[in-house]
Structure formats: C-alpha cells, structure tokens
Amino acid sequence: MSQSKSASLLDARILVPALGDAFRKLNPRSLARNPVMFVVAVVSALTTILLLRDVATGGANIGFSLQIVLWLWFTVLFANFAEAVAEGRGKAQADSLRRTRSETQAKLLKDDGPDYTTVPGNSLRVGDVVLVEAGDTIPSDGEVIEGVASVNEAAITGESAPVIRESGGDRSAVTGGTQVLSDWIRVRITAAAGSTFIDRMIALVEGAERQKTPNEIALNVLLAGMTLIFVLATVTIPSFTTYAGGAIPVIVLVALFVTLIPTTIGALLSAIGIAGMDRLVRFNVLAMSGRAVEAAGDVDTLLLDKTGTITLGNRQASEFRPVQGVSEQELADAAQLASLSDETPEGRSIVVLAKEKYGIRARDMQSLHATFVPFTAQSRMSGVDVDGTSIRKGAVDAVLKHLGGMPDASRPKADTIREIQAIADAIAKTGGTPLAVARDGRLLGIVYLKDIVKGGIRERFAELRRMGIRTVMITGDNPMTAAAIAAEAGVDDFLAQATPENKLALIREEQAKGKLVAMCGDGTNDAPALAQADVGVAMNTGTVAAREAGNMVDLDSDPTKLIEIVEIGKQLLMTRGALTTFSIANDIAKYFAIIPAMFLAFYPQLGALNIMGLATPQSAILSAIIFNALIIVALIPLSLKGVRYRATGAASVLSRNLLIYGLGGILVPFAGIKLIDMALAAIGLA
C-alpha cells in the first residue's frame, strides 16, 4: 500500500489484463455508462453492417470504408483501454489486500469469560468478543475492550513499525488482517463478514463502488448534449448536398460525426476519476467515494489541529528562567535531576538542554539513592527525592498548590509567587508552556517549553491562501498561547480551548456561508465534526466512531496529509478541466481536415480551407479519424498521472489551461493529422 510499492503504468501486470478488459467492456451495459463512447460504439456497429453489405454486393471504396470502420472500433477500444488501465492499478493493490484477508481462526469468548472456542473468522458477527494473543491475526474489524498490545499494521499501511492498541481512548480500533505481536487484547467485533475495512478498501480501489461525482455527471450531460447537436447536424448534411447534385457517403458522414464530437474527453473522463482515487490510495489515504476526492479540490476552509499538524507535537525545552536570587545553573541542575526518569520528549529535552548549555552531566542515580515521583494526571507534577532533598517540576498552578500545603516557614513568599506568575504569563504570550521548578519548598524558576512550529508550514499556508483557502488552527490551548502560535505559523484564524461542540459550530458557520470545509480527527469526540465536514479525514489509529464518520481514512494516521489531500483533489479538477479544454479545442483542427474533404466535389471553392495541404479527400478523412483514435492513447499517461499541480488562483489556472491545453489542442492536431496524411500517402493507403 505504500507509494513505493504502487504499480507502474508500464507494468505488464497492468497492461496485459487491460487489453482483455478493453474487449470485455464492449458489453453495451458497460458502454452505456459513458454516453459519448456508447454513441461511437453504436455508430461503429452500424457502419460495420453497412460494410458487410457492400462487401456482399461488390460496392466501391471497400478498402477505404474498412479502414474507417477499423479505426472507429479502435477509438472505442482505446477508450475502454484507458479505463481498464486506471482500474488495473487499483486491482493490483486489491490483490495485495486480498492476501491479507486470509482465512483466519478466531478465539470466540463465551459470555466474555476466560473460555473460548475456535471458529472461522468469517463466521463472526457484530458484537462477538474474541481473544487475540501474541502471534494471532486479528480476525475482523473491532474495538479493543480490554488489554493493550503491540500490533503490526503493515498489511494495510505499508509501515513495518508496530503500533499500540489499547482499550479506551482514541487508539482502540483494530483492523482485520493485522497481527498482534505482543501481549493480548479482547476485541469486540464491529463489522460483519464481507463489510470489513479491507473488504471496503478492495471494492473501492477496484472501482466497483466508484460513484460518479456531481461535476462528472454534469460534464457527461454536457458532452451528451454536444453529441446530440452533432447527430442532428450530421443528419441534416445530406439534404444540403442534394442541392449540389450529389450525395455524401454514409461512411464519410460517420467519420465527420465521430471526429467532431468530444470523443477525447469522453474516452478519458472515467479514467481521470478513477486515477484521482488511485492517487489517494497510493498516498495511503482511502476515499470512501469519488465525491469526497472532488470535494477536497473545492475546499474553501481547512481546520487543522495544532499538535502534530502545525507543530511537531513534542514540546522542547528552550530556556531556563530563574527568579531573583537563583542562578540559571542552579535551576538547570534541579530541573535536570527532576527529569532524569522522565521518558517524555519534554523531559528528555530538559536533560539535553541542561547538558548542552551548562555542561551538567547525568548522574548515577543509583548511588544517590534517589526516589522518583512519576507524573500523574491528578498531580500534574513529577520530581525526585534524593539525599533528603525534594525537587518538584510541573504546571505552575500545580506546583504552587503543592507548596501551599507545606509548613508556613517553607512556603514561598508572595513576591516570589508574583514573579513566577509574571514569568509564566510572559511565556504563555509567546505560545510556550511554562513548567515551574521548586526545591524543598523554594521556587527556583520556570522551564520554558516551546511548541516547535514545523519547518516550511508557514510557506504552505501562504500557498493555500493564494489558492483562496482559509486555514483555521484548532487547539485546546488558552487564547493567548493559541494566538502566538497562530501568528508564528501564519494561519488565518484559530479556535482556542476547542470542544467538540465548538468544532461542530465552526463547521456549520462556514458551511452557512456557502463554503466547503475539510478537517481531520481521530477521537470519538471528533466524530460529529467529521460527519458534518465536507471532507472528513479520520486517522486509521483512531476510534471506530471517527472512521465511520469521516469520508476518508488516512492509513498512516498523519494529520499533515490534509493539505496534500486538498492538493490531490485540486489536481483531479485541474486534470479534468485541462483535458476537456484540449478535447474541445482539437476539434477546430479537424474541421479544416474533414469539412473541405467532404464538400470539395460539390464546392471547389472550399479547397482554400485545405491549409494543411492534405493529399486527397480520402486521406484527409482517414488521417483525422486515425488521429482521433491515437490521441486517446497518447493522453492516457497524462489522465492517470494528472496535470501538474500549482498553488495558484482559479483565474491563473484558467489562463494557463487556455494557453497550454487550449492552444495546444488547436496546434497538435494540425501537426498530427499532417504527419499521418504524409504516412498514408507514402504507403499508398489513401
């Protein structure tokens, strides 16, 4: 599932099956999903019948008609081939997923007791409770209700590093097909057989459940309307030619019709949509529908969690600020002693800072007979008792409360308390987190923990702003700290002390203004907001509720991907727009190839329009029909890879599309048709 393992476009494992699928897709029920190509297929079938009649009756120009009919069928087959190649990349990934969905045995617990029976994993029902021990494969999707274990999720994420799954909290969801590496867990099954997470992934990456998006449906209607117009125009042409005392062969009328309708974008439209979802899958993001991918491209507002998205997520000690009468060296020494057993990133950073800035080396705590006091959510402090000395480190209010319970003689003076609070307030205003340090009831000062804003994130937000996307940082910090970090990161707005209700209200407020909103989350408390958002990206490590509420799941559980998801969505829309522009524009060149060739016998004056200097009328018509088929194949790589994404506004994208794909759509057919005409003339086929 990782990008490095994604199948190449030129992989024979994709191209060979796609050739067979191109013929299988000639089924009328399959063709009917694409109105333009369905019409081309119908016309090809009718001209084939007419050709067979001419062969039987000894009609004229059979060689010319045969070439036209063959290239008409090639046009349909190439369109089917484009779709089959796009689907083939997903099928290659689905085959990999199927290998993870092997038949596993489950240890079904009886009435939640210690006894269990071994049953096939596919026989489990929603609500069953199973025991999964070290070495066992988790039989189906579920939620950990007891225990904690290390789980290998490489089967779905491509990452070999194990993750922790435990009951309660936001890391309780487990996926069928993953393996428990250590300890044991009890899992309550949440998905019925055939509807597990991997089952849904297989169906989606294969395209079996891909629904056309509203914009795709609208474009199909437009293309169908244009096709109908050309049908009417082609039908009326013979009545005009009768005034000139002649008639245009049906095969020529068919060639005119097929080359002038929007066959290029009609052939590639489905492949573009499938490729958009495929790009997300290769990026380890599973979109539950094409609508979600398209919505990502139209997003106006991004809600981003501060921790792990905007900041590194691990606060780092950056400075020691002592109170009057205390040296930085003394504060650093006490803070390092209190942090030696602290395995959190913050605690380790304090030890490193004291060592690097003041040369204080770690001590042999065993010889000092130290007793460490671990951090708890209730005390919000940690520390150490060593050789009769008590050192405490933690939240400022928690340390002050601890010191307030000491004998009067040991309590800090009011002036010192005010000084500590002033230092803490100054740190909070800059977006940092203050930790107070005290030794034997004496306040020594503050350790300044800084939220490190990710490198380059400010520039990323500037790009989004140029695209017209508003960014909002979501954080549980107080407004003062949130404002400082928001200013440093360059976001447009922030929501401080955020609650689930606040997030939901913000999303609804933005949507009431007609904006599309995207956000990510992993907890049960994020589920309402994920469900309300137009693009809700749930972390795979999150709860079942979050994964069910979102319309995308990030298998790597990386919240920063929300920005890339928006870029992939915009790339899908840009690709569709660019190729639509090219398809419509290249019809202009075909006018100059086919129109003069059709009417030259009746209106010699039209010879002036043969600006390409095509050899003969038959060569002009055949060259146009061949180019019309080959350009579909030539554009398959672009439709699958996508037009290069640029962080620019809509007006700039439109101007670029018109310049490159509009002008290119006019010029390329002139060169292509002329080269084909020269080749046909050289080998005597026309």
Side-chain angles (χ1 to χ4, degrees), residues 248 252 590-602 606-607 609-610 614 616-622:
I248 295 177
V252 174
K590 297 171 194 173
Y591 288 136
F592 288 92
I594 289 201
I595 298 296
M598 285 181 59
F599 295 101
L600 194 59
F602 313 112
L606 290 177
L609 293 179
N610 186 18
L614 301 178
T616 65
Q618 289 81 6
S619 174
I621 294 168
L622 191 55

Side-chain angles (χ1 to χ4, degrees), residues 158-405:
E159 295 294 332
S160 58
V163 295
I164 300 298
R165 292 289 177 265
E166 57 188 337
S167 59
D170 293 339
R171 295 183 179 270
S172 60
V174 290
T175 305
T178 58
Q179 186 181 38
V180 171
L181 300 180
S182 67
D183 303 291
W184 60 271
I185 49 177
R186 289 189 179 191
V187 177
R188 178 181 291 115
I189 302 302
T190 58
S195 61
T196 65
F197 189 66
I198 288 184
D199 288 321
R200 290 159 58 195
M201 287 178 67
I202 291 171
L204 287 164
V205 298
E206 284 186 326
E209 293 185 8
R210 194 185 81 87
Q211 301 294 322
K212 288 186 178 180
T213 63
N215 285 348
E216 193 174 348
I217 293 172
L219 184 54
N220 262 316
V221 171
L222 173 63
L223 297 181
M226 294 175 65
T227 302
L228 180 61
I229 291 173
F230 281 112
V231 168
L232 297 176
T234 306
V235 169
T236 56
I237 285 175
S239 63
F240 288 105
T241 58
T242 55
Y243 290 105
I248 295 177
V250 172
I251 196 73
V252 174
L253 289 173
V254 168
L256 171 69
F257 169 67
V258 171
T259 53
L260 298 190
I261 65 174
T263 48
T264 306
I265 185 60
L268 298 173
L269 189 57
S270 181
I272 294 169
I274 294 171
M277 294 184 69
D278 176 64
R279 278 192 289 274
L280 277 181
V281 171
R282 287 185 288 118
F283 202 60
N284 266 5
V285 176
L286 176 65
M288 298 306 177
S289 68
R291 183 189 296 265
V293 184
E294 193 171 89
D298 283 329
V299 160
D300 301 293
T301 304
L302 274 182
L303 305 187
L304 300 158
D305 276 330
K306 181 200 76 173
T307 305
T309 306
I310 295 173
T311 65
L312 292 176
N314 299 325
R315 295 170 298 177
Q316 303 290 306
S318 62
E319 191 178 348
F320 297 107
R321 294 190 182 181
V323 296
Q324 288 186 357
V326 178
S327 68
E328 287 190 27
Q329 181 89 11
E330 182 182 359
L331 172 60
D333 181 74
Q336 188 193 64
L337 270 173
S339 303
L340 286 175
S341 69
D342 188 349
E343 292 300 322
T344 64
E346 293 88 348
R348 290 195 295 270
S349 71
I350 292 173
V351 174
V352 171
L353 181 63
K355 176 182 176 180
E356 292 180 347
K357 194 170 184 179
Y358 302 102
I360 303 173
R361 300 289 171 179
R363 281 139 288 196
D364 181 7
M365 303 308 295
Q366 187 174 1
S367 63
L368 294 175
H369 306 292
T371 301
F372 290 100
V373 179
F375 174 87
T376 67
Q378 290 73 30
S379 68
R380 296 189 296 140
M381 289 190 310
S382 61
V384 63
D385 294 329
V386 54
D387 291 338
T389 298
S390 175
I391 304 175
R392 295 292 182 269
K393 172 201 70 179
V396 175
D397 59 334
V399 172
L400 291 176
K401 182 179 179 181
H402 170 72
L403 298 180

Side-chain angles (χ1 to χ4, degrees), residues 9-65:
L9 176 61
L10 299 178
D11 194 330
R13 292 172 299 176
I14 292 177
L15 295 181
V16 174
L19 289 172
D21 288 340
F23 285 92
R24 280 189 285 273
K25 287 179 178 291
L26 291 176
N27 185 321
R29 287 182 296 182
S30 177
L31 286 171
R33 295 197 297 265
N34 188 331
V36 176
M37 300 317 299
F38 178 74
V39 170
V40 176
V42 170
V43 169
S44 301
L46 293 176
T47 51
T48 301
I49 295 172
L50 293 176
L51 174 63
L52 294 175
R53 184 199 65 183
D54 290 342
V55 171
T57 59
N61 295 323
I62 291 177
F64 173 71
S65 299

Side-chain angles (χ1 to χ4, degrees), residues 564-622:
E564 278 78 12
I565 288 170
V566 170
E567 292 177 355
I568 290 172
K570 286 194 173 293
Q571 186 182 31
L572 168 66
L573 298 181
M574 288 170 62
T575 303
R576 186 187 297 159
L579 292 184
T580 300
T581 302
F582 182 91
S583 176
I584 295 174
N586 73 20
D587 287 341
I588 295 175
K590 297 171 194 173
Y591 288 136
F592 288 92
I594 289 201
I595 298 296
M598 285 181 59
F599 295 101
L600 194 59
F602 313 112
Y603 305 103
Q605 303 90 333
L606 290 177
L609 293 179
N610 186 18
I611 58 177
M612 287 185 275
L614 301 178
T616 65
Q618 289 81 6
S619 174
I621 294 168
L622 191 55

Side-chain angles (χ1 to χ4, degrees), residues 390-594:
S390 175
I391 304 175
R392 295 292 182 269
K393 172 201 70 179
V396 175
D397 59 334
V399 172
L400 291 176
K401 182 179 179 181
H402 170 72
L403 298 180
M406 301 183 71
D408 292 345
S410 303
R411 293 178 184 175
K413 295 180 180 180
D415 290 346
T416 305
I417 293 175
R418 283 194 293 270
E419 185 180 359
I420 280 287
Q421 289 176 331
I423 296 173
D425 288 343
I427 290 173
K429 287 180 181 178
T430 64
T433 301
L435 289 182
V437 180
R439 187 202 303 263
D440 294 331
R442 179 189 176 207
L443 284 169
L444 301 180
I446 295 287
V447 179
Y448 177 10
L449 295 180
K450 185 177 181 181
D451 265 322
I452 308 299
V453 173
K454 289 183 176 180
I457 198 74
R458 189 180 186 89
E459 290 73 21
R460 296 290 297 277
F461 289 146
E463 286 183 6
L464 292 171
R465 194 173 297 111
R466 287 195 295 271
M467 293 158 52
I469 296 176
R470 177 171 172 262
T471 53
V472 181
M473 182 184 77
I474 307 295
T475 177
D477 291 335
N478 62 66
M480 188 182 300
T481 301
I485 296 175
E488 183 179 356
V491 296
D492 298 310
D493 203 351
F494 64 89
L495 178 64
Q497 297 175 331
T499 64
E501 293 77 15
N502 295 148
K503 295 178 186 178
L504 191 59
L506 177 60
I507 292 173
R508 287 174 174 169
E509 180 183 340
E510 290 292 313
Q511 290 172 334
K513 299 175 184 177
K515 300 182 181 297
L516 295 184
V517 181
M519 74 158 289
C520 62
D522 60 0
T524 301
N525 61 348
D526 292 322
L530 286 171
Q532 181 69 35
D534 300 285
V535 179
V537 183
M539 302 295 103
N540 188 49
T541 56
T543 62
V544 173
R547 295 198 323 197
E548 291 294 332
N551 51 21
M552 291 189 186
V553 177
D554 176 18
L555 302 180
D556 295 332
S557 300
D558 178 5
T560 61
K561 280 191 184 177
L562 188 57
I563 297 174
E564 278 78 12
I565 288 170
V566 170
E567 292 177 355
I568 290 172
K570 286 194 173 293
Q571 186 182 31
L572 168 66
L573 298 181
M574 288 170 62
T575 303
R576 186 187 297 159
L579 292 184
T580 300
T581 302
F582 182 91
S583 176
I584 295 174
N586 73 20
D587 287 341
I588 295 175
K590 297 171 194 173
Y591 288 136
F592 288 92
I594 289 201

